[in-house]
Amino acid sequence: MFTEADALERDLADPGHRELFHVPPAEGGRYAETAYLAGNSLGLQPRATRGDLLDDLDAWARLGVEGHLDAARPWLPYHEFLTGTAARLVGALPQETVVMNSLTVNLHLLMVSFYRPTGTRTKIVIEDTAFPSDSYAVRSQARFHGLDPDATVVRLDPADVLSYLAHEGHEVALVLLGGVNYLTGELMDIPAITRAGHEAGALVGWDLAHAAGNVPLELHEWGPDFAAWCSYKYLNAGPGALGGVFVHERHLGDPAVQRFEGWWSTEPATRFEMTPVSRPPATADAWQISNPPIYAMGPVRTSLEIFDRAGMAALRARSTRLTGYLETLLDELPITVVTPRDPARRGSQLSLRVGGGSAHELARRLRFEFGVITDAREPDIVRAAPVPLYCTYHDCWRLADALAHVIEEVR
Ligand SMILES: *Cc1c(COP(=O)(O)O)cnc(C)c1O
């Protein structure tokens, strides 16, 4: 039943938007293109990115400094061209959203505002499988406040977060979890954990690196205090692309909320009055500091517009079908999927546990012998994400077919 012909038929019946992307050529195997299943790590390049970027670059050549106001997409308000699409992507109000900096920098800037340890309420809750960068970030925040990171940062199994908050929540200043876990691909119950954190009197932030562009989000309605994400994974804006930030409406314009400021934190209309005191707007733009890198912002704009046109609901529906199909194929093989089986508790990514510490060897063979791109993560996980914008049923079939050939050899 799960033949190659069947996969190709499914692609005809349920196409994505592959034509909008550059798919890298395969480095091995019998197909011209890679089966690219690493969009959870670095998304593919939209075909429109190069032309859009060159237009912005040409404006500088033609206009010099006058491009700030006179470019077709003027640089002064450039970040605002990304706000609407970014806000729709994460279910936020436009005033709650801004694209700026990179993810971990933004987490720090947001913790300046929302990690304010006082008295016995000092703890930061993260997940025990947190991405290391997030762990480093919160530990350094604890030290910055003169606290012992080992005593301040509480690492929990995600399944234990709700009961911990119910019993020990009075000591928690901040809950900061990944919306979709980078290693297991598990989608957290963001609304429930947010509610429980708030009931415990804590503030709640989400790292949406693996969630933005992967699963539908309703940040305004779910009510976390803040969130941050990057744009180079599911969002296809290129290596090191700028991140996005959400600050809930309830904190906007609140003078009690601390922020670090620069000239981009102030009301644009007053920016050039050259006064010594800023007048921040009651929007997430107030968290900006510097004038933004236009040529890093352009690819985010191009990519967000693709998401806006495709629609997150339609992408989620295709993602559920594609990932479910891949799961069915993998179930035929001697391999363990550690990602939750319930489609409501995951996004595109399936994480496969490979015995014998051979995950890197497996990913290498898949790439060079079969033209299938996955990635390996310590200690024993291979991640594969059939992302709905550009992956195909045939990509999924190729992964399963390749695994069937090599899995016994690398175990
Ligand atoms: C990808 C990722 C990061 C990367 O942080 P950068 O600041 O963009 O380098 C951080 N946290 C999580 C959870 C990630 O998945």
Side-chain angles (χ1 to χ4, degrees):
M1 173 179 177
F2 297 116
T3 60
E4 182 169 21
D6 168 71
L8 292 168
E9 251 171 58
R10 286 171 194 258
D11 280 322
L12 287 178
D14 184 14
H17 302 271
R18 190 178 180 87
E19 72 285 355
L20 300 179
F21 292 86
H22 291 285
V23 179
E27 295 165 286
R30 56 199 176 89
Y31 302 96
E33 291 180 337
T34 52
Y36 193 82
L37 298 165
N40 58 309
S41 183
L42 184 76
L44 290 181
Q45 184 183 135
R47 290 184 182 274
T49 299
R50 170 186 288 258
D52 286 353
L53 193 54
L54 287 176
D55 288 346
D56 287 338
L57 201 55
D58 287 346
W60 176 30
R62 264 200 329 278
L63 295 163
V65 68
E66 308 298 350
H68 282 300
L69 292 172
D70 294 346
R73 288 187 285 269
W75 307 325
L76 215 50
Y78 199 104
H79 73 271
E80 295 170 14
F81 306 147
L82 292 70
T83 300
T85 50
R88 280 191 287 281
L89 183 79
V90 297
L93 306 175
Q95 62 267 31
E96 294 173 319
T97 313
V98 62
V99 173
M100 62 182 198
N101 309 312
S102 22
L103 171 54
T104 311
V105 171
N106 287 334
L107 288 176
H108 279 298
L109 293 177
L110 290 161
M111 282 192 276
V112 165
S113 302
F114 301 115
Y115 176 53
R116 312 283 298 164
T118 42
T120 54
R121 192 184 280 282
T122 58
K123 293 201 160 117
I124 307 175
V125 170
I126 64 171
E127 67 274 52
D128 54 4
T129 51
F131 193 72
S133 183
D134 294 34
S135 181
Y136 306 159
V138 296
R139 289 177 62 84
S140 68
Q141 283 282 333
R143 279 197 304 275
F144 175 72
H145 286 279
L147 299 166
D148 171 6
D150 291 330
T152 304
V153 176
V154 182
R155 303 175 65 92
L156 295 178
D157 184 318
D160 297 336
V161 170
L162 289 178
S163 74
Y164 183 87
L165 289 172
H167 297 108
E168 315 286 336
H170 56 281
E171 293 190 341
V172 176
L174 175 65
V175 180
L176 179 58
L177 301 174
V180 172
N181 185 270
Y182 83 100
L183 189 65
T184 64
E186 178 179 3
L187 168 60
M188 302 295 160
D189 190 340
I190 299 176
I193 293 173
T194 300
R195 222 176 301 120
H198 285 163
E199 275 162 19
L203 295 180
V204 181
W206 289 93
D207 182 330
L208 301 176
H210 285 268
N214 181 18
V215 292
L217 298 164
E218 293 295 342
L219 292 183
H220 177 74
E221 190 190 318
W222 296 343
D225 298 283
F226 68 91
W229 57 95
C230 61
S231 309
Y232 47 82
K233 293 171 180 163
Y234 292 94
L235 293 185
N236 310 318
L242 296 183
V245 159
F246 164 87
V247 178
H248 196 274
E249 190 181 31
R250 75 178 78 91
H251 297 298
L252 301 177
D254 179 353
V257 174
Q258 299 296 324
R259 282 175 295 99
F260 287 164
E261 293 188 341
W263 65 329
W264 245 250
S265 320
T266 200
E267 219 21 283
T270 64
R271 189 169 294 146
F272 290 94
E273 289 175 5
M274 302 308 187
T275 56
V277 180
S278 79
R279 279 197 265 155
T283 69
D285 284 7
W287 271 261
Q288 294 180 112
I289 296 177
S290 292
N291 84 106
I294 301 303
Y295 309 120
M297 227 166 231
V300 184
R301 189 186 61 79
T302 302
S303 171
L304 286 172
E305 288 177 4
I306 292 173
F307 275 87
D308 213 40
R309 281 192 299 272
M312 208 46 234
L315 290 174
R316 171 62 164 171
R318 184 164 189 270
S319 165
T320 305
R321 294 191 295 272
L322 264 183
T323 302
Y325 170 75
L326 177 59
E327 180 181 38
T328 314
L329 298 184
L330 294 175
D331 280 344
E332 304 287 309
L333 301 172
I335 200 159
T336 308
V337 175
V338 302
T339 306
R341 290 312 186 104
D342 177 359
R345 291 185 54 218
R346 69 185 186 207
S348 294
Q349 174 186 330
L350 293 180
S351 299
L352 321 178
R353 173 156 286 141
V354 182
S358 47
H360 285 279
E361 170 64 5
L362 178 59
R364 200 191 60 77
R365 291 193 61 182
L366 291 174
R367 175 180 166 195
F368 291 111
E369 293 175 28
F370 298 92
V372 175
I373 304 278
T374 57
D375 71 9
R377 283 290 176 271
E378 295 298 333
D380 57 357
I381 297 290
V382 166
R383 307 184 300 179
V387 310
L389 267 175
Y390 49 74
C391 286
T392 60
Y393 291 87
H394 192 237
D395 291 337
C396 298
W397 181 87
R398 282 175 61 188
L399 171 63
D401 181 59
L403 284 170
H405 281 92
V406 295
I407 193 69
E408 293 297 352
E409 290 170 34
V410 296
R411 278 149 78 86

